[in-house]
Amino acid sequence: MLQQTQVKTVIPYFKVFLRNFPTLQALSLSNESKVLKLWEGLGYYRRAKNLLITAKILVNEYNSKLPKNLIDVKKLPGIGKYTANALLAFTYNHPTIAVDGNVKRVFSRILNKNENTIDFDKLIKVNKINLFKTNRNSDFVEALMEFGALICKPKKPLCPACSIKSMCKYFKSNKKFTQIKTLKVKVKNYNIFCYIDKSKNKVALTKKHNLGFLDKFYLPLIKETLDNKKIKNWKFHSNFKNSISNKKLNINLYYKFSLKIPPQHRWFSLKKNNEFIPSFTKKIFKQISKIT
Ligand code: SF4
């Protein structure tokens, strides 16, 4: 839940999730629609789907335990190298390091090198005797992340208070490296077309779209467009921006009152639905509910 999502956003979801699934077994016996419903509003829904599949695999194939080696952990859906290393350190105290943005920054500052020029796997391997002297590796991994977040911060690191400044080349150097800026994400334009049944307060949604995000989720008719021109025969409602995963969307929202809807669309209430609806669609509901 915490991937790409702030702690304060996650906490209420986490509590409800644990009430519903107090054990790995309970989660493994659930189904995708229930898990998605509990995840509704949290975004990045692939995480929820992968979590459910992983729970089923762990219960059925690993006697409800996390495998103990990196290769097997990385085979679980949704678990990449970073998460696998974090899990092995936190669960089994294994001598591994989860290299996130904070950890990369700490190492690159200690070496006073741009992080894009560092092979972190090699760095950890070469220095493993010193790095893994502790038998509290789980704490060490977490401490490294926290150190990057709280002391060796992206802007204005707290060097005078830092306990490792004597070994830090960035601190000692008169020629401090600067990080190469990452490329800006390009904004894409989309038109959204809402068919609205005014008398019943309903809007037509479909899973038939091919956006490369929110695939297989209910959305109104949506089309990518290269220009920002207004569309004939549809009423323009509003323009708004949205970010999904690492994509930035510039959206023109259109609507029409109609009892006829295109194939592969279904009516959904603007107020309450038992089925899972992504927050992207809910935001659109909120906007158009003002006109019904
Ligand atoms: S001395 Fe400054 S730059 Fe170096 S590790 Fe500490 S906080 Fe980071």
Side-chain angles (χ1 to χ4, degrees):
M1 283 183 177
L2 284 167
Q3 281 175 348
Q4 313 282 338
T5 312
Q6 290 184 340
V7 176
K8 68 174 191 305
T9 309
V10 162
I11 287 172
Y13 283 91
F14 186 68
K15 285 183 177 166
V16 173
F17 204 82
L18 279 198
R19 265 206 301 280
N20 279 272
F21 307 122
T23 62
L24 192 64
Q25 284 85 350
L27 176 60
S28 74
L29 293 172
S30 187
N31 57 58
E32 192 176 290
S33 53
K34 181 167 183 196
V35 173
L36 283 173
K37 193 71 193 160
L38 292 170
W39 208 277
E40 197 172 78
L42 204 51
Y44 294 94
Y45 297 103
R46 198 179 295 263
R47 297 178 297 181
K49 291 179 174 192
N50 284 335
L51 189 62
L52 176 62
I53 302 168
T54 293
K56 288 181 190 290
I57 294 172
L58 291 180
V59 169
N60 296 325
E61 295 176 27
Y62 291 97
N63 197 22
S64 302
K65 300 265 190 306
L66 187 75
K68 288 195 169 173
N69 72 71
L70 190 67
I71 294 169
D72 287 341
V73 178
K74 269 168 59 184
K75 278 185 195 155
L76 297 168
I79 297 187
K81 191 166 143 192
Y82 164 76
T83 313
N85 278 319
L87 285 170
L88 287 172
F90 294 152
T91 313
Y92 297 124
N93 202 33
H94 275 196
T96 58
I97 291 181
V99 182
D100 69 350
N102 286 325
V103 174
K104 280 186 181 173
R105 186 172 58 256
V106 171
F107 284 148
S108 66
R109 287 227 176 100
I110 291 170
L111 298 171
N112 198 31
K113 277 187 181 171
N114 189 297
E115 66 183 45
N116 298 333
T117 66
I118 300 172
D119 179 341
F120 289 97
D121 286 339
K122 197 171 160 198
L123 181 76
I124 292 167
K125 205 170 165 191
V126 170
N127 292 287
K128 70 176 182 198
I129 293 175
N130 285 328
L131 284 169
F132 302 124
K133 264 182 189 162
T134 175
N135 56 12
R136 290 173 58 194
N137 195 61
S138 162
D139 290 339
F140 173 56
V141 169
E142 190 160 354
L144 255 181
M145 295 174 181
E146 294 293 314
F147 178 72
L150 302 174
I151 306 290
C152 197
K153 300 192 284 188
K155 289 178 193 163
K156 297 189 185 158
L158 307 179
C159 301
C162 176
S163 53
I164 58 167
K165 59 179 179 280
S166 62
M167 65 174 85
C168 176
K169 291 187 179 166
Y170 180 89
F171 177 65
K172 289 183 190 165
S173 173
N174 295 324
K175 265 179 98 183
K176 299 188 191 316
F177 80 92
T178 44
Q179 200 67 43
I180 296 164
K181 289 203 175 97
T182 45
L183 289 174
K184 274 197 171 174
V185 181
K186 203 176 160 216
V187 180
K188 287 191 172 180
N189 297 315
Y190 291 88
N191 290 326
I192 287 182
F193 303 96
C194 291
Y195 290 85
I196 299 172
D197 178 344
K198 193 172 181 178
S199 63
K200 296 200 178 113
N201 236 351
K202 288 187 170 180
V203 65
L205 302 180
T206 180
K207 285 186 176 179
K208 198 77 190 158
H209 43 80
N210 197 6
L211 299 167
F213 56 89
L214 291 176
D215 290 339
K216 301 194 191 123
F217 289 125
Y218 280 114
L219 306 178
L221 181 63
I222 176 167
K223 289 182 181 168
E224 189 179 344
T225 170
L226 294 176
D227 53 46
N228 230 339
K229 281 187 198 151
K230 302 270 156 74
I231 307 286
K232 280 185 198 161
N233 302 326
W234 286 84
K235 287 184 183 144
F236 176 73
H237 179 275
S238 54
N239 171 271
F240 62 97
K241 313 268 184 278
N242 206 317
S243 296
I244 295 181
S245 304
N246 53 1
K247 294 177 174 58
K248 289 195 171 172
L249 283 55
N250 175 44
I251 293 164
N252 281 327
L253 181 60
Y254 294 89
Y255 70 96
K256 72 164 63 161
F257 296 119
S258 169
L259 295 179
K260 270 188 167 175
I261 52 177
Q264 295 177 303
H265 280 62
R266 267 183 54 199
W267 290 114
F268 280 78
S269 165
L270 278 166
K271 293 209 170 116
K272 198 170 185 308
N273 292 287
N274 291 330
E275 268 179 272
F276 167 80
I277 302 214
S279 24
F280 178 74
T281 302
K282 284 191 166 172
K283 272 185 206 160
I284 295 164
F285 277 15
K286 212 170 168 188
Q287 302 223 28
I288 55 175
S289 57
K290 291 171 201 156
I291 52 169
T292 56

